[in-house]
Every structure is written in structure tokens, then in C-alpha cells.
Amino acid sequence: MDFTSLLLDWYNDNQRDLPWKINKDPYPVWVSEVILQQTRVEQGTHYYNRFLEAFPTILHLAQAQEDEVLKLWQGLGYYSRARNMHKTAKRLMEEYNGTFPADVSLLRSLHGIGDYTAAAVASFAFGLPVVALDGNGYRILARYFGIDLDIGTARAKKVFSELARSLLSGHDSASFNQALMDFGSLVCTPRPACSLCPMTKTCLAFQKGMTEQLPVKQEKNVSRIRHFNYLDIELGKTTFLRQRTGKDIWNGLYEFPLIETPQKFGFQELEQTERFAKLLGSSGCTMIDTLEVSPHKLTHQIIYPVFFKIRLSVPAPVLEKEYIQIDRQDIHRYAISRLTEKYLNFFHNFAGL
Ligand code: SF4
């Protein structure tokens, strides 16, 4: 039997039962694909259900405030996904009458929709004969056909796409793409379960003992190191937050006053900084606790965070001007980064604020 027949036979007997598979409407297909881009299925399913409950249609999503969408996304990370979905929903309302175009290049032109997501929506929702190759697909093909090209390169993308297109030819694209995903998630995983695999006789990597060497993926360059010092300020029952803006990470999310330093600073060093003097200079602050949270890894940077819990006796004018002053009990109403959430859960347990 050839590769595609083996794959589809396996899929018929072993496919995963996932909520978005029963729905051919492009909106839930798109929601599931975006959520699953950087998220495990177990966690993604929970967010998928919550998302569709809050925004059951493109119109609901388009009409929501960005803050609401970010709040719902809280904990998933990669918040640009949520912002892009919001923009795309608005554009679909404005230009496509609240539906998705059944065309790969038009789908590709929408915010946050890359080659993979465009192909997935085109194939699962519209049945177009296109291949949606994600990391699972690359891994399976690299191993089965013994291809040792670096999968991060443009050349590899071309070679793998052409190969996948030839393998799909004459078959149902939705089943083929879904089969690659399920097979890559259950059998040909990063540590493959070859003993469960129906392809061992013809898989080149298995035959040559190279399953651990394939696929080839060069490590990307080194991450940027950043030191974040957060001031969790207590003024009576209130604290201060600010919404992040600009092109840096976590755009649109709320956080405590932040002082970024070139290296790790203790509280005394922090007090000497210009920013600290500007923020809290003459307000008579007392440092009451410190929490150093474990390094927070993002795609191209590692954040070393320290949270300083500070008590103020009188309001500081700069704080009142640049930040919003809220009741500490209300923090959970704001969309915050996973890092700040980690701190709040660990240190205060939300309710104990
Ligand atoms: S034999 Fe192993 S490496 Fe080859 S396709 Fe099957 S699970 Fe993947």
C-alpha cells in the first residue's frame, strides 16, 4: 500500500473525536485552528468552547471590545492571535458580508491567517483540494520519506508542499489533512510510537534507525534577555495598572507599573533609578515583600521578572496621572499577561487581594 492509503486507513480506525471536527462552518474551524497554533488540544478545547460561547458568530466577535477578547484569551499566550482575530472579524463584516471567502489567497490576506490556517479553513470548511501542512505534517513526511532538509528553510517548504500535494492528489483534502494532524499527534509524535505504526515496513527513518534525527530543524538564534521589575503598589484598598501599547510584547494587556533594568536589580538599586524616583519619589513608600518569579520564556525573549509589593502612605501624582487606580479586588476584571496572572495566583490567590 502507498503512504496515503496507509495514512487514511489508520485515520478511519483511529481518528480523534474533537468538537471542531463535526462543524464545517468556517468560523469555528478558523477559531479552532488559531487556538491550536501554539496550544495543546486539551487546553485548546476548553478555550475553544469558551470562545464560541462568548462570541458565537463573526458578528459577535466583530462587535466585541478588544479588551473583552483579550480577557477571554488570558492564559493562552501569543495575544497577537486574539487581536488579529478581532481585526479579521471586523474586516469580514465590512468586506465579505460576515462570511469567509472560499478562496485560499483571499483567506491568506486576512489578519493573522498564514499559509497553514488559510489551507486548513479552505480544506475543512470548503473542501478545496489544498494541503495544510503544520509541524505534524513536516515531521511525518520527513521521517517516512527520509528527507533531511532543514524544515525552517524556504527550500524545504517548497519540497514538502509539492510532495504533500502529490500525495493528496485524488483524495479528500479534509480527511488527508486531518489524518496527518491526528497521526502526528498520536503516533508519529516527536518521540514516535513506532510500535503502534502501520507504516514501519516502508518508513525510511524507521528502516534506517533515524527516527530521532528527523525532521531536521536548526535552532533559531539566541533569545533576548530582559529584566522586568513590577511594582505591586498598595494604597489603601487600591492598586495601579496600565494598559500596554506599542509594538512590544503584550500589547493591550494590563500590568502593574514596570521598570525594566539592564540586569537584575535589588530593591535598593531600583530605588536609585530615575523612573522609580519619578513614579514614587516623595510618596513615602515601604517595600513589604518581594517575589522573584521563574524566568518567563516567550518566542524570542526570556523575561526575568521580580514583583515588589510596596505600600504607599500618600498618593503619588505621577502614578495617578499615568496609571488607572483600581480596587485591588477588581484586578481579575482586566486582561493581564500570563506572567502577572502567575504572580497573582501564587502570591495573593486573587480573592486574597
Ligand atoms: S514508523 Fe515511526 S517514524 Fe515512521 S511514520 Fe511510523 S511512527 Fe513515524
Side-chain angles (χ1 to χ4, degrees):
M1 276 214 279
D2 64 11
F3 171 84
T4 309
S5 307
L6 287 167
L7 178 72
L8 292 175
D9 275 5
W10 174 90
Y11 183 65
N12 277 337
D13 297 336
N14 300 284
Q15 59 180 290
R16 291 179 298 179
D17 190 14
L18 297 170
W20 45 87
K21 280 190 178 175
I22 50 170
N23 210 326
K24 298 280 180 219
D25 183 324
Y27 176 61
V29 167
W30 169 61
V31 171
S32 69
E33 288 304 330
V34 176
I35 287 179
L36 291 179
Q37 275 165 25
Q38 260 105 5
T39 308
R40 283 175 297 108
V41 164
E42 301 74 38
Q43 191 194 15
T45 306
H46 169 66
Y47 277 88
Y48 169 82
N49 290 329
R50 276 180 50 195
F51 198 93
L52 288 186
E53 216 174 282
F55 313 118
T57 64
I58 296 171
L59 177 65
H60 287 89
L61 180 56
Q63 287 179 336
Q65 295 298 313
E66 188 182 88
D67 268 9
E68 285 176 71
V69 184
L70 292 175
K71 181 66 198 160
L72 207 124
W73 205 262
Q74 191 172 301
L76 263 182
Y78 300 97
Y79 288 84
S80 55
R81 289 184 291 172
R83 279 191 294 274
N84 283 333
M85 285 178 88
H86 192 219
K87 283 185 199 153
T88 285
K90 286 182 176 174
R91 191 160 156 217
L92 291 173
M93 290 311 301
E94 283 160 15
E95 294 179 28
Y96 295 97
N97 214 11
T99 59
F100 278 85
D103 177 285
V104 177
S105 40
L106 291 179
L107 286 165
R108 182 73 182 78
S109 72
L110 298 167
H111 276 289
I113 298 194
D115 291 338
Y116 168 76
T117 309
V121 173
S123 134
F124 299 145
F126 300 118
L128 298 182
V130 286
V131 168
L133 268 191
D134 67 352
N136 290 307
Y138 282 104
R139 186 167 61 247
I140 297 163
L141 298 182
R143 285 174 177 162
Y144 186 87
F145 293 97
I147 304 170
D148 61 1
L149 291 173
D150 174 0
I151 60 170
T153 62
R155 172 143 187 267
K157 281 197 170 60
K158 191 163 178 278
V159 168
F160 281 94
S161 300
E162 277 168 13
L163 171 61
R165 269 200 294 275
S166 71
L167 296 168
L168 165 68
S169 178
H171 297 276
D172 169 50
S173 66
S175 304
F176 179 81
N177 290 327
Q178 204 69 68
L180 280 177
M181 283 170 215
D182 284 8
F183 187 68
S185 301
L186 298 174
V187 182
C188 199
T189 51
R191 287 190 178 171
C194 299
S195 58
L196 304 175
C197 181
M199 304 192 187
T200 46
K201 283 192 187 134
T202 40
C203 170
L204 276 181
F206 182 81
Q207 292 296 329
K208 292 183 177 177
M210 290 180 66
T211 55
E212 283 183 19
Q213 282 85 57
L214 295 173
V216 175
K217 193 177 178 190
Q218 299 286 345
E219 286 299 319
K220 289 252 165 62
N221 46 13
V222 196
S223 297
R224 175 182 172 200
I225 306 275
R226 302 177 77 176
H227 294 271
F228 279 13
N229 305 276
Y230 280 113
L231 308 179
D232 173 7
I233 296 167
E234 201 180 285
L235 178 62
K237 289 186 170 176
T238 68
T239 190
F240 295 86
L241 295 181
R242 177 153 73 175
Q243 191 173 28
R244 287 182 73 95
T245 53
K247 291 202 169 148
D248 201 353
I249 52 171
W250 303 330
N251 182 11
L253 301 189
Y254 288 83
E255 65 184 7
F256 292 121
L258 167 67
I259 301 176
E260 186 168 354
T261 49
Q263 71 247 3
K264 186 177 171 186
F265 273 27
F267 187 66
Q268 283 178 347
E269 289 168 292
L270 200 64
E271 277 185 305
Q272 308 302 317
T273 62
E274 212 177 302
R275 184 68 186 147
F276 190 96
K278 192 174 170 209
L279 279 177
L280 300 174
S282 56
S283 53
C285 70
T286 318
M287 206 272 281
I288 50 179
D289 224 329
T290 310
L291 184 74
E292 196 171 327
V293 179
S294 53
H296 192 75
K297 290 187 185 160
L298 301 170
T299 316
H300 298 298
Q301 39 190 308
I302 304 178
I303 314 275
Y304 286 82
V306 184
F307 288 82
F308 296 97
K309 193 161 163 51
I310 289 168
R311 187 166 294 143
L312 286 192
S313 46
V314 289
V318 175
L319 271 180
E320 292 189 314
K321 202 166 129 216
E322 296 184 8
Y323 294 80
I324 52 167
Q325 186 172 4
I326 61 158
D327 193 312
R328 298 184 69 79
Q329 297 286 357
D330 290 339
I331 287 188
H332 64 280
R333 294 194 185 156
Y334 293 82
I336 51 178
S337 69
R338 203 176 200 156
L339 169 63
T340 300
E341 190 185 7
K342 211 193 291 181
Y343 161 75
L344 290 170
N345 285 339
F346 185 84
F347 212 55
H348 299 268
N349 238 342
F350 268 137
L353 282 169

